[in-house]
Amino acid sequence: MADSDGSNKYDNNNNDGSPSAVDVITYIGVPLAVLGVLPILYNTLATLAALSKIKRMLRHSKLTALTRSDVVNRVIEVELPRYAVTPWDRFNNRSEYWTVSPSPSSIPGGSWTTFNWRTNVIGLKSQRIEYADQLRQPQVDVILEELVCYLLDLGAVPDAHGWRLLRTTGLWTPVGCALMTSPDGKEKALTIAPLDGSDGHLSLAVNWSSAWTTRDYSHLPPYWVRLPPPEVTVTEEKGGGGGDVNPFGGEGSESMHKRSLDSTVQKGETNQRQPITCQISTEGIVTALSQEVQLQSSLQLDSLYIDHIRIRGRTKSDGVWFASAATAYGTTSQTILWNYRIPDDILTFARKETVPCGILVLLRIVDESATPEWATQYPDNGASLDLFTRRHREQREAMAAEAKLPPAQKAQAVRERMMKENQQRLDDMKDKMRLEQQRKDTRTMEAMQSPKWDTKLVADHCFAWLKQKDELPESLKMRQYGGQLLHRMVLEGVFSSKICRMLDLWKAWAENGGMRKSDLTAVQDDQATFIQAAVLLSLIKETSGALEGTLSMDLQECMRMWRNVRLG
């Protein structure tokens, strides 16, 4: 009876239309469970799709990376290497240096892959991203000086406004500000990039097209200077004859030694006729190459002996003088980049007025009429005529007195008169020489105390004097002559030492209050070297004022402040 009641009650519950527990699970629980799984499925599919796209981007950019994905949290972790880069050698790796990369990266931050670089892995950078477009290629470390030199060598043109803005505002320079442009000035080649991930370094971006490359390896690279050879003014005659050589070897070793000497002399003569290209670094001259036609290789850049003009501490100043003069010769108001910094004491010395104009008169380089009045004038006012008249009158009176004497006394009187006249002439000559020497010494002292001229004016007069003596062609310019002097300094150690010693002497008297007699004597003993030193010092003086406030100054200051930058 009880079982039939329970059964009826259960049947009544199923028949009254209310859902059972099974129905609830079937129609509500299962859809809810499916909805709960869908986000996981979506995240999985989205993560796999993003990961596939990222791998495709990395493969297209030829980048090696380690990727990991969390499909549940929809996070993709990418580890990319960080590099330090430097340009290839412009001579030995021409194909890499002068061409752009065939497969540059399209990932943001990878603009540096436009070029071919020598790379060195310096670390790994890990990124946790969700979408493929969040992927960033790590920026590379590069020395700003090398980057600018490379772009200049390819033909890029610096933007004066950009460098001035970078120098004054630093990291606050607006993003996208152009520092260098394409050769036609229409496109930006080097710009300021966002500071994301730059760790406080200056961030730059680069852009380049192979059509913009307007230079090649035959052009002179930055920091190099070409020195012209001296002009040949005397026809050189070739020697006629080397004696007969015994074919059986009797004179074999002697003839071989002679041929070796002849080849050495011939090579030296060839170097004297060819331009010399010198590389000037922050430490002075680095290499020198006797250049026949154009720069072809850097394999034997040390072919010329240059130890005598290297900078060697403070013991010898020859290297400092050469580097300063070579930098001045290669630097003009149009120069974009230079490397060696001329010491401040040399620049100050070159700007000073150090040579008394009277000294140039004593050296017969300048006519006294072209200088301010500095010497005491000694008018004769008839003193010589008065002395001659007095001596002549005394002679007539003595001869008249002798005529009245007896013959014996007359002869004695004539002898005494002639002895007296000879002594008077000797005394007059000594007095005249003594007076002339006193006046000469006074004139020398007045010359050393005369108004001083600056280096440029002294060099102009010296250069004009050389042309008047027909020692230089009329068409030769002073700057070109300065380059020829530097050419000789590279090849001739004795000549280089003489000029540097003269410059040391000149600088010493400029710093010690003026010229002394010993300085004047040294200049008079080697007047030609003084003139050559004046020409080189004039080049340095011109440089000291040519670059103030120019693009070059801004660029050099920026490279000093930002030695290492991030390029991306």
Side-chain angles (χ1 to χ4, degrees), residues 91-107:
F91 299 111
N92 300 330
N93 306 100
R94 295 177 186 175
S95 60
E96 293 87 354
Y97 187 92
W98 297 105
T99 59
V100 297
S101 174
S103 56
S105 173
S106 58
I107 301 174

Side-chain angles (χ1 to χ4, degrees), residues 360-402:
L360 299 180
V361 176
L362 297 184
L363 297 175
R364 298 183 180 180
I365 294 176
V366 178
D367 190 81
E368 189 171 352
S369 60
T371 65
E373 185 175 349
W374 55 272
T376 302
Q377 303 298 326
Y378 300 98
D380 185 51
N381 294 329
S384 300
L385 181 60
D386 292 343
L387 179 61
F388 175 78
T389 303
R390 184 169 66 254
R391 299 299 186 206
H392 188 63
R393 184 176 62 251
E394 292 174 354
Q395 184 183 32
R396 284 201 318 269
E397 292 175 352
M399 293 177 66
E402 293 168 359

Side-chain angles (χ1 to χ4, degrees), residues 176-370:
C177 177
L179 300 180
M180 305 189 78
T181 63
S182 59
D184 57 8
K186 297 180 180 180
E187 301 291 339
K188 296 179 180 180
L190 184 65
T191 58
I192 300 295
L195 294 175
D196 301 341
S198 63
D199 299 328
H201 291 79
L202 179 64
S203 182
L204 303 176
V206 69
N207 176 42
W208 195 258
S209 171
S210 58
W212 297 351
T213 304
T214 57
R215 290 164 50 90
D216 57 31
Y217 62 87
S218 63
H219 290 81
L220 200 65
Y223 299 149
W224 285 69
V225 60
R226 180 180 287 111
L227 306 177
E231 297 185 9
V232 179
T233 56
V234 179
T235 303
E236 299 182 359
E237 298 180 359
K238 296 184 178 180
D244 297 336
V245 178
N246 185 350
F248 297 101
E251 298 292 331
S253 60
E254 183 177 347
S255 62
M256 184 179 300
H257 178 66
K258 182 177 180 181
R259 286 197 300 270
S260 176
L261 291 177
D262 290 344
S263 63
T264 302
V265 172
Q266 184 178 5
K267 182 178 180 181
E269 293 176 351
T270 302
N271 291 338
Q272 291 177 353
R273 298 190 187 98
Q274 301 296 342
I276 293 178
T277 53
C278 300
Q279 182 183 10
I280 309 296
S281 73
T282 56
E283 300 300 327
I285 185 171
V286 177
T287 53
L289 171 68
S290 182
Q291 179 184 340
E292 295 186 359
V293 180
Q294 58 187 10
L295 287 175
Q296 296 286 345
S297 173
S298 62
L299 295 178
Q300 302 196 6
L301 291 178
D302 272 322
S303 58
L304 296 179
Y305 179 82
I306 57 173
D307 284 350
H308 60 289
I309 49 176
R310 289 186 186 273
I311 296 179
R312 299 184 179 276
R314 298 183 178 180
T315 56
K316 290 188 66 176
S317 60
D318 297 33
V320 176
W321 284 118
F322 179 84
S324 300
T327 298
Y329 173 74
T331 302
T332 66
S333 58
Q334 303 300 319
T335 301
I336 299 301
L337 201 60
W338 79 99
N339 204 343
Y340 182 76
R341 181 179 177 87
I342 301 177
D344 292 337
D345 59 331
I346 292 182
L347 289 176
T348 302
F349 162 53
R351 295 189 188 105
K352 282 184 177 180
E353 296 176 348
T354 55
V355 179
C357 61
I359 297 300
L360 299 180
V361 176
L362 297 184
L363 297 175
R364 298 183 180 180
I365 294 176
V366 178
D367 190 81
E368 189 171 352
S369 60

